[in-house]
Structure formats: structure tokens, C-alpha cells
Amino acid sequence: MNKHIDSNPNGFDTPLLIIAWRRPDTLLQVINSIRSVTPSRIFFACDGPNPTRLGEIERVEATRAVFEREIDWPCTIQRLYAGENQGCRVGVSRAIDWFFEHVEEGIVLEDDCVPHQDFFPYCANLLKRYRHDKRIWCISGNNFQNGLWRGDGSYYFSRYNHCWGWATWRRCWENYDQNLSQWPNILDFDYLMTIFEDPIERHYWRRIWQRLMTKNEPDSWAYRWTLTCLANGGLTILPNRNLVRNIGFGEDATHTTCEVVNTDINMGIHAIEHPSLLLRDAVADRYTFDNVFGGKWQRFPLSLIWLFKRVLSKASLGISNLSSYFKQ
């Protein structure tokens, strides 16, 4: 299903994929955020309803109606509408597959990710700059460093491919491993020790991917994309200020039922300053694991055990010294 509204020579020309399902209100906010940029080439994928859930058919129809009504600037539109519900993993990954069947590079926004205006030139600039650099696999608009500036540029390099507003290239997405075919080798040959130096972090991700492999839970495409990037040594570019706000927290969300990080976008990054070194920021990644994925709380019991052992060791040493004193 394609639509062409008179071409717009002044529009933002990096292809944009919008992925939606059953949230017309949040989709409207996303569209309003891109209106001033007027993307000239838009791909819109909308998953289908599950007819067993009351009111879902109407909500999906309302979501598609918002898109048809609100995209009113000159642009080319291509659509992918599912007849029935595919679920989060299949619905999103198929939409991205479809997108990269048509384009070499582009931006992906879901219907609860509201970008800052600087997000668009940021993505376009870096898609071009790193187009042929096989070290870079993803460009994300997310920053969860709570104001800590990393490195000497407008962005830094990370192992974490946050996906609340992001961009990539066909050369990367074509490696998407939806069946986790690489996981057995990673596990059997201890490659997780290469990916994650921290044993706490390693254990955290091992549990997630093993559960995906054995139980197919949760219904997530994003964990599979993370493993794909890491297994190929791919780095992600992250901005030094957050550029995308997630408005999807709540009961209606598929996974983000409660807000765990601050995603305010009060400030942009304006002119992009490129970092002088292309190195992963291990300190920033440790901060992300501790504060976004709960690493500091996983370390807490171990810290108590370590402290307890140290106290016992010192107490034992003190008793030993005291015994030696009385034996003199």
C-alpha cells in the first residue's frame, strides 16, 4: 500500500520507519514531533489486532486513522498493515526487515518514542559518517547517564544498543539473528567472558538469552538485536544528551509497564562534535549496567558477603595475635 503526496524537495530525506500497533494517542505525539522536520520518505508498519481482546480491533483502526489523517505534508509513504496480531518480536522485526528491503539505511521510531528535533540531523550525519565503518552497528538517540558527559564529543561509543529511537544500515540489520543461532557457540566456548568482563553483568545477560532460547520469553525482538550486535563486535553510538523521550510507560505497554529511567529531552546537542577516539567507553557502560539494568543491586548482596568475610578475617587475625601474645 503506497501513497505519494507531491514530492517535498526541502524535506528531511533520510528514510523513516514508524512502527505502531494500538495506541493512537502516543502515535499522534510522535507524528507531531516529526512534523517540523517533514520527512520526505516514510514507511509505516502497523501490527494487527487480536480479536479475542475486547476493543482491540477498534484501537488498531483508530491508530491507523491517526496516521492517515496527520501525515499531511508532501512525502512518499509506504505501508505494511498486518491482518492479525503478530506479537512484539515478530511484528517489529518483520517491519524492520521490510524497511531494509527498500532502503540501505534509515531511522526507526516506535509509536511511543518522541524525538527531539536534533535527533534527525544527528542520525543523518552519523549514518553518512559511519556508513562503511563496520565497527559501528547502531546509532541510538538514548542517553541514560544522568548528566554525565562522556568523552570529548557530542556522542560516545557503547556496547549497549538502546532502541527507543535509533538508526542503522542494511549491512547490519541483515545479520539480525531472530533464532539466536549464535547463542549455543557463545555459551559453549565462553565467549561471554570476552563480551562482558564483569561476572555480574555476564550472569545477568546469560540468564536473559538462555531464557529466550529455552522458553522464548519474553516476546522481545530487542534482546535478539542486542545479541546480534555484541556477537559481531558491533558498537553503538550514544548521544551525550538524551534525544528521545519514551511516553509508553504504563499498563498498556507490552514490556515497559513502569518507568525505570528518566527520558526527558529538555536539551538537544545542536552542532555535532565528533570524538577524537573511536573506543568503547567502559566506564559509561558500567554506569548503564548498574543504573539501568540493576547491576548495583545485584552487586549489593555480594558486597555484604565480601564485607562480612573481611570483618571475620580481621577478627580471626586479632584473636590469633591475642593468643600469640598470651603464649609469650
Side-chain angles (χ1 to χ4, degrees), residues 60-71:
V60 170
E61 290 175 349
T63 300
R64 295 175 181 179
V66 165
F67 179 82
E68 299 296 341
R69 181 181 71 245
E70 297 296 328
I71 303 295

Side-chain angles (χ1 to χ4, degrees), residues 112-184:
D112 55 3
C113 297
V114 177
H116 188 281
Q117 298 306 301
D118 290 350
F119 171 73
F120 296 99
Y122 159 82
C123 287
N125 183 313
L126 299 180
L127 281 169
K128 180 179 180 181
R129 181 178 180 88
Y130 296 101
R131 184 173 291 154
H132 304 297
D133 192 328
K134 295 183 178 179
R135 294 170 293 181
I136 309 302
W137 275 55
C138 187
I139 302 162
S140 170
N142 307 137
N143 178 286
F144 305 134
Q145 300 292 305
N146 292 318
L148 296 171
W149 194 276
R150 304 299 187 182
D152 60 356
S154 303
Y155 57 91
Y156 68 94
F157 302 96
S158 170
R159 66 158 56 106
Y160 285 117
N161 60 330
H162 305 308
C163 55
W164 293 343
W166 57 289
T168 192
W169 302 265
R170 179 192 291 170
R171 65 170 172 83
C172 300
W173 183 258
E174 66 186 3
N175 295 281
Y176 174 67
D177 186 8
Q178 73 167 337
N179 296 317
L180 300 173
S181 61
Q182 296 170 309
W183 175 241

Side-chain angles (χ1 to χ4, degrees), residues 86-122:
Q86 304 169 91
C88 180
R89 176 175 67 88
V90 174
V92 174
S93 62
R94 281 185 178 171
I96 302 172
D97 287 344
W98 167 71
F99 182 49
F100 285 111
E101 287 170 4
H102 293 85
V103 303
E104 291 286 342
E105 60 190 32
I107 297 169
V108 180
L109 284 175
E110 293 185 66
D111 61 4
D112 55 3
C113 297
V114 177
H116 188 281
Q117 298 306 301
D118 290 350
F119 171 73
F120 296 99
Y122 159 82

